[in-house]
Amino acid sequence: MATTDTPVNNGVNVDALLGAREALSQAPAAAQFTWRASCEWQNGTHSRSTVEGFFGLGDEQSHRTMYSFDADHPEVFASEDNGATPVEIVLAGLASCLTAGVAAVAQARKVQLRSVSATLEADMDIRGILGVDEDVRNGFDGIKVTYKIDADASPEDIKAIVAQSQKRSAVYDIITNPTNVTVEVA
């Protein structure tokens, strides 16, 4: 990895992350988190999801503020287009998780980032979700992530940073491995 005498600052407190890793290795029960999101239908295919509280470190936690995300379908689906589609929100979650990982790994490896951008594309045959063809999957056929990274590092080092980010990404894991989902009506 490329190193420099100039201090590296990608905005990630790696010392705190490494400290948390050490502390949680000694107290594994504190590492059990429960993330939550709530969603309310607005009208048509438009919904608004919110996130505010979660459980972790053995207690209830809160974000500094409640965050909200509008989701809808585009006008070409005879909808109002009041927000990104749910599948686009999934792509944004993956992009955000991987990019945060790039910043953290680069900071840990003392690589100064100048810019990082990711473009994600996912192909989907919508005949599945429309019920046109029962043999067509409802979800993505595949996802392609393309990075443009300007950093004080060789192309090989940048690829290693991206690979480590991918290895540690929770959202990448959620998308690429089966996850049990239970749906209930209260």
Side-chain angles (χ1 to χ4, degrees), residues 47-146:
S47 65
R48 180 166 298 126
S49 296
T50 57
V51 295
E52 185 173 21
F54 57 94
F55 180 87
L57 302 176
D59 203 0
E60 288 297 319
Q61 308 289 334
S62 293
H63 289 283
R64 288 185 296 153
T65 187
M66 178 175 31
Y67 297 101
S68 65
F69 311 89
D70 282 64
D72 202 354
H73 292 111
E75 291 176 348
V76 297
F77 285 176
S79 291
E80 297 294 321
D81 201 14
N82 289 310
T85 66
V87 295
E88 291 167 321
I89 293 170
V90 169
L91 292 176
L94 177 59
S96 299
C97 193
L98 289 171
T99 301
V102 166
V105 173
Q107 184 73 39
R109 295 184 182 189
K110 307 226 182 304
V111 172
Q112 182 62 55
L113 298 173
R114 288 184 287 276
S115 66
V116 178
S117 66
T119 302
L120 282 73
E121 294 180 344
D123 294 326
M124 176 186 284
D125 183 339
I126 66 167
R127 292 178 300 159
I129 61 174
L130 293 175
V132 173
D133 187 338
E134 294 296 320
D135 293 328
V136 174
R137 182 177 180 203
N138 291 339
F140 296 139
D141 296 324
I143 299 172
K144 178 183 178 186
V145 180
T146 304

Side-chain angles (χ1 to χ4, degrees), residues 6 14 23 42 45 53 103 109 114 119 125 152 157 165 175 177:
T6 306
V14 172
Q42 301 298 299
T45 57
R109 295 184 182 189
R114 288 184 287 276
T119 302
D125 183 339
D152 290 332
D157 289 346
S165 169
I175 290 173
N177 291 298

